[in-house]
Amino acid sequence: MQSLGLTDTYLSLVLPSAVSVFNILVLRAFFMGISPELTESARIDGASDLRILLTIIMPLSRAVLAVISLFYAVGYWSAWFNASIYLTDQEMMPLQNVLIQLVQKNTEAPTGLQQAVRTGQLSSLGLQMAVMVLALIPVAVASPFVQRHFKKGMLTGAIKG
């Protein structure tokens, strides 16, 4: 990243994990399971490759794309390692890195939290649990919307017959 000049940029957070081999294998298994008769009949009807992709393949792949999107969203949400390596600017740090700093070192907590922990109004364990719940909320909110696609998307291509 340093030789590419990408340190202290958001691209340095996205680029290293932009392509996942596992996700490619899941997508490949799904696309290999699509019946070739569907595309052949569309070609006979005069459909171009782009039209076949947009009107046949994409509607069929909605479930697997939802699952892959969930994998990427959770992966990027919980990713803190790349930011700890490639970012030095505290203003650019993602929320996960700030939350880790709060959990590991109470001394770097905002002033009001430091005082509450020192006076005993807020326990250190209570602060850590609150931070964990805060980190979990977006995933817990997004998951039910993708839940119905999850089972179908993961099993597609895994079972033949």
Side-chain angles (χ1 to χ4, degrees):
M1 290 298 159
Q2 190 173 14
S3 64
L4 293 173
L6 294 176
T7 54
D8 282 333
T9 63
Y10 290 116
L11 196 56
S12 66
L13 302 178
V14 175
L15 201 57
S17 57
V19 177
S20 168
V21 176
F22 174 74
N23 292 341
I24 290 174
L25 291 175
V26 169
L27 286 171
R28 182 185 181 278
F30 172 78
F31 289 129
M32 295 297 285
I34 293 177
S35 175
E37 288 83 15
L38 288 172
T39 56
E40 288 175 11
S41 65
R43 282 192 207 288
I44 291 171
D45 290 341
S48 66
D49 288 336
L50 181 63
R51 181 155 176 102
I52 292 171
L53 176 68
L54 295 177
T55 60
I56 296 174
I57 305 297
M58 292 306 284
L60 289 174
S61 62
R62 187 173 46 197
V64 74
L65 291 176
V67 169
I68 298 298
S69 299
L70 179 67
F71 285 165
Y72 272 115
V74 170
Y76 282 121
W77 175 252
S78 61
W80 59 270
F81 187 68
N82 287 343
S84 65
I85 293 174
Y86 302 127
L87 297 180
T88 57
D89 184 11
Q90 288 294 321
E91 294 294 321
M92 293 183 70
M93 285 291 178
L95 179 63
Q96 297 299 333
N97 290 65
V98 175
L99 295 178
I100 286 172
Q101 289 175 358
L102 279 174
V103 169
Q104 290 178 345
K105 306 171 194 162
N106 288 331
T107 58
E108 293 187 21
T111 308
L113 288 177
Q114 282 180 2
Q115 189 176 14
V117 170
R118 283 189 198 132
T119 60
Q121 293 174 333
L122 179 67
S123 71
S124 175
L125 182 61
L127 175 64
Q128 291 175 355
M129 294 300 157
V131 166
M132 294 302 156
V133 169
L134 181 64
L136 180 69
I137 287 174
V139 175
V141 168
S143 293
F145 296 109
V146 187
Q147 182 85 24
R148 62 188 173 110
H149 299 294
F150 192 75
K151 184 177 178 183
K152 181 180 177 188
M154 284 304 295
L155 291 178
T156 303
I159 301 171
K160 297 291 178 185

